[in-house]
């Protein structure tokens, strides 16, 4: 499997287009194969595509807000088709009421239909709350009927779900995977420094045929760059995949 980084991990280092280009250099130096975007900071698609090509980094996907998908979808699809991204991923949704769950379901269905015309997938990235049963259903079960999941393995773990088993049981509904570690109190950390079952997740990912894992840390310490380096070093030296 190849290893990408979700650039939200490096958000403190990446607030302008120039900084994004600099961060991509550091991502490649650290040994990553691809990136998942959390904003492009004003860079046009040809400039960003040229930088990725020069560095031999794959533009795997991009996180977007619900508002982005509702109001800027065609613009985003044109941009990421030119860039060569595989997917747009809804990064977060509230699911605590029937109205909120209905909104995200309808948005995912509508977005997927439009994105298919551009050769791009639309997926959903979970946190913990989608695994909490409400009104007789877990929101994640409704969402996965509408869209492939980008399973966040740490937030699944934090909700009490075995991420490896979830991958196996839902293989046909998994589009991408966030390989992510953290403690038992809801605080993410670098790969190999927490309580998540990383090897089990990697084994399951291989079994269901995933060709990428995406490293992410919502809470990098002491900073995103050093955390990014520790994560890939730990991943390559402590685990088999």
């Amino acid at each position: 499997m190849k290893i990408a980084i979700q650039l939200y991990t490096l958000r403190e280092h990446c607030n302008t287009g120039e900084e994004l280009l600099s961060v991509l250099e550091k991502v490649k130096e650290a040994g990553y194969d691809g990136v998942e975007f959390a904003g492009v900071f004003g860079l046009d698609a040809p400039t960003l595509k040229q930088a990725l090509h020069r560095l031999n980094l794959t533009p795997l996907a991009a996180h977007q807000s619900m508002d982005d998908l509702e109001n800027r979808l065609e613009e985003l699809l044109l941009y990421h088709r030119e860039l060569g991204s595989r997917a747009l991923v809804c990064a977060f949704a509230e699911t605590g009421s029937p109205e909120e769950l209905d909104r995200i379901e309808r948005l995912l269905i509508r977005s997927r239909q439009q994105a298919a015309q551009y050769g791009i997938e639309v997926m959903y990235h979970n946190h913990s709350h989608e695994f909490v049963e409400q009104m007789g259903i877990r929101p994640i079960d409704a969402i996965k009927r509408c869209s492939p999941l980008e399973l966040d393995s740490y937030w699944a773990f934090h909700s009490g779900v075995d991420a490896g088993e979830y991958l196996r049981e839902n293989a046909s509904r998994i589009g991408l995977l966030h390989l992510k570690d953290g403690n038992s109190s809801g605080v993410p950390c670098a790969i190999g420094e927490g309580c998540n079952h990383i090897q089990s997740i990697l084994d399951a990912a291989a079994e269901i045929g995933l060709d990428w894992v995406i490293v992410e840390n919502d809470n990098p310490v002491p900073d995103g760059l050093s955390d990014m380096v520790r994560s890939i070093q730990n991943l390559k030296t402590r685990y088999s995949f």
Side-chain angles (χ1 to χ4, degrees):
M1 281 179 286
K2 294 182 178 181
I3 307 170
I5 183 84
Q6 164 51 257
L7 293 176
Y8 184 69
T9 307
L10 302 166
R11 60 195 177 277
E12 65 192 287
H13 309 286
C14 194
N15 295 287
T16 67
E18 185 176 347
E19 287 178 347
L20 175 55
L21 295 175
S22 176
V23 159
L24 292 176
E25 298 273 357
K26 293 177 174 62
V27 166
K28 185 61 179 181
E29 289 171 7
Y32 288 86
D33 304 299
V35 291
E36 181 177 45
F37 292 99
V40 296
F41 308 100
L43 286 178
D44 61 75
T47 299
L48 185 52
K49 183 176 182 178
Q50 183 179 35
L52 292 167
H53 180 75
R54 177 175 57 81
L55 294 168
N56 194 27
L57 286 171
T58 297
L60 198 58
H63 271 203
Q64 307 294 160
S65 69
M66 289 184 69
D67 286 345
D68 286 337
L69 295 177
E70 286 178 326
N71 301 313
R72 300 176 53 227
L73 183 58
E74 185 173 7
E75 170 194 342
L76 293 168
L77 290 170
L78 287 167
Y79 187 100
H80 284 282
R81 181 174 65 180
E82 183 169 0
L83 199 62
S85 302
R86 177 189 298 186
L88 298 179
V89 182
C90 183
F92 177 85
E94 297 286 359
T95 59
S97 70
E99 294 76 18
E100 287 171 335
L101 185 56
D102 182 67
R103 179 190 175 199
I104 185 59
E105 289 180 83
R106 289 178 180 274
L107 175 60
L108 289 169
I109 291 169
R110 185 170 63 249
S111 299
R112 281 175 49 73
Q113 290 172 343
Q114 187 170 346
Q117 301 173 40
Y118 293 78
I120 293 176
E121 272 280 12
V122 171
M123 303 179 187
Y124 182 82
H125 167 265
N126 65 277
H127 291 78
S128 296
H129 62 279
E130 297 94 339
F131 289 94
V132 178
E133 185 172 320
Q134 301 174 29
M135 303 161 286
I137 187 173
R138 296 188 308 176
I140 197 72
D141 295 329
I143 289 169
K144 74 182 181 185
R145 291 197 294 264
C146 302
S147 166
L149 301 176
E150 178 182 65
L151 184 70
D152 188 303
S153 59
Y154 173 65
W155 292 123
F157 164 79
H158 180 60
S159 70
V161 170
D162 184 312
E165 285 306 305
Y166 193 86
L167 287 169
R168 293 184 179 94
E169 292 168 1
N170 296 276
S172 67
R173 304 309 300 152
I174 304 298
L176 292 168
L177 172 65
H178 273 191
L179 186 69
K180 190 166 171 182
D181 212 345
N183 66 24
S184 59
S185 302
V187 180
C189 64
I191 299 294
E193 298 179 6
C195 303
N196 205 2
H197 309 298
I198 300 300
Q199 188 60 62
S200 173
I201 295 164
L202 288 167
D203 291 344
E207 287 177 30
I208 70 170
L210 293 183
D211 51 359
W212 285 89
V213 293
I214 303 170
V215 170
E216 183 189 34
N217 188 347
D218 303 5
N219 186 47
V221 176
D223 58 74
L225 289 173
S226 59
D227 188 282
M228 171 187 74
V229 171
R230 293 201 317 281
S231 283
I232 196 168
Q233 289 177 343
N234 290 343
L235 182 54
K236 289 186 173 181
T237 58
R238 300 184 188 180
Y239 304 100
S240 58
F241 58 97

